[in-house]
Amino acid sequence: MQPHSGEAPSTPPPANPMMPPIGPQVPSKEKNTLGLIGLIVGIVGLILVCIPVVLILGWVLLPIAFILGIVGVAQSGKAKGTSIAAIVVSIVGALAGMIAAFVFFASAVDEALDDALNELELSAPAPAVSGDNEGKSGSEAGSRQNPLPIGETVANEDWEITLGTPREAWAEIAAENQFNDPPEAGMEFWMVPLTATYTGEDTTLPWLDITAEFVGTDNRTYGDECGVLPNDLFDIDELYPGGTIEANVCAAVPAGADGLWSVSTGLLGEPVFFAAP
């Protein structure tokens, strides 16, 4: 069919190349190089901070990543995504690093404590736990149920210690210092000599490292309350490896009380018990 005469064909007008495009134009943002570098550094820091041998390097990288992320966000006209990601990764890395450090520290403390307890535990040499001592009450020699005889030497990695025969010693203590107070009514001062050889690596103070006490059948422990002693353990100065001391320790105990003497080393050492003859 032919178009009706007098009607023009409906064709769009040609675009005018001089007219600007219709509608708002969103300017494209430039890549944020600092943000990208910060993100990479943060990821590396996050990985390293969880590895014990290189965690220090991880803690160095994470703050750098955080700073780069902050600077990247502050830049105008630059994409913000990588910068924000760098900040987030650095914060997550710091949290992960603190958790990892706590786990490593707790593990190291636990291992060190186990080693310390093993080193502090005094024991008698093998011949002393044979024969009658070994099977008595089914208990280990040196326990309250199976005490060692006075005069038996016990040892660990730091000490070799021998307790001598205990004795009632108020007369000796009074003669040592006129200002010493006598025992209270119903109590007695019992003194026990000890010989100790230091086998550790560093120097030590014997009075700080060795504890000797009386444990009565009343299940109470009685310690040093006797005043100034002759040849007092507290008078012994610093001891070097291989040094040997002879000193006295004392306890105020109920008159006529029956019980055992114990000796231990360090703050956490388990006591070894001795039966007086």
Side-chain angles (χ1 to χ4, degrees):
M1 172 182 290
Q2 296 293 326
H4 190 275
S5 59
E7 292 184 1
S10 59
T11 57
N16 187 347
M18 301 302 293
M19 293 180 63
I22 300 174
Q25 295 296 310
V26 179
S28 61
K29 295 185 177 180
E30 300 179 10
K31 291 183 178 179
N32 196 325
T33 304
L34 283 179
L36 180 60
I37 295 174
L39 178 59
I40 296 172
V41 171
I43 293 173
V44 175
L46 173 60
I47 295 172
L48 296 182
V49 83
C50 296
I51 304 174
V53 294
V54 290
L55 61 85
I56 297 299
L57 181 57
W59 280 109
V60 171
L61 294 179
L62 288 174
I64 296 175
F66 184 82
I67 294 172
L68 290 175
I70 293 295
V71 175
V73 168
Q75 289 182 319
S76 60
K78 300 289 184 71
K80 311 296 185 185
T82 53
S83 299
I84 295 174
I87 296 172
V88 172
V89 169
S90 62
I91 294 174
V92 172
L95 295 175
M98 287 187 287
I99 295 173
F102 175 79
V103 171
F104 299 148
F105 178 76
S107 176
V109 169
D110 183 63
E111 183 177 352
L113 185 59
D114 287 342
D115 292 342
L117 289 175
N118 290 333
E119 292 175 3
L120 291 172
E121 184 177 355
L122 290 164
S123 61
V129 296
S130 60
D132 293 338
N133 276 340
E134 186 176 14
K136 185 178 180 181
S137 303
S139 302
E140 182 180 358
S143 64
R144 283 189 69 189
Q145 295 75 23
N146 187 17
L148 295 170
I150 283 285
E152 188 69 69
T153 298
V154 291
N156 57 20
E157 292 190 7
D158 289 337
W159 290 100
E160 295 176 358
I161 302 174
T162 305
L163 293 186
T165 303
R167 62 188 185 274
E168 197 284 320
W170 165 236
E172 296 177 65
I173 294 171
E176 179 66 19
N177 190 311
Q178 61 178 330
F179 297 106
N180 280 330
D181 293 325
E184 297 179 0
M187 304 293 286
E188 294 177 339
F189 288 160
W190 278 77
M191 192 159 60
V192 58
L194 66 82
T195 301
T197 299
Y198 180 56
T199 57
E201 297 180 356
D202 302 318
T203 60
T204 189
L205 291 171
W207 60 267
L208 191 61
D209 211 23
I210 299 174
T211 301
E213 298 173 315
F214 180 83
V215 181
T217 52
D218 58 358
N219 297 320
R220 288 184 57 186
T221 298
Y222 299 88
D224 179 20
E225 299 176 359
C226 305
V228 179
L229 306 180
N231 196 23
D232 198 336
L233 178 64
F234 281 84
D235 293 336
I236 306 296
D237 292 328
E238 193 172 26
L239 197 64
Y240 284 81
T244 298
I245 61 168
E246 294 181 355
N248 291 317
V249 294
C250 182
V253 304
D258 188 20
L260 304 172
W261 286 88
S262 71
V263 64
S264 60
T265 59
L267 295 176
L268 301 175
E270 290 291 330
V272 177
F273 294 90
F274 297 85

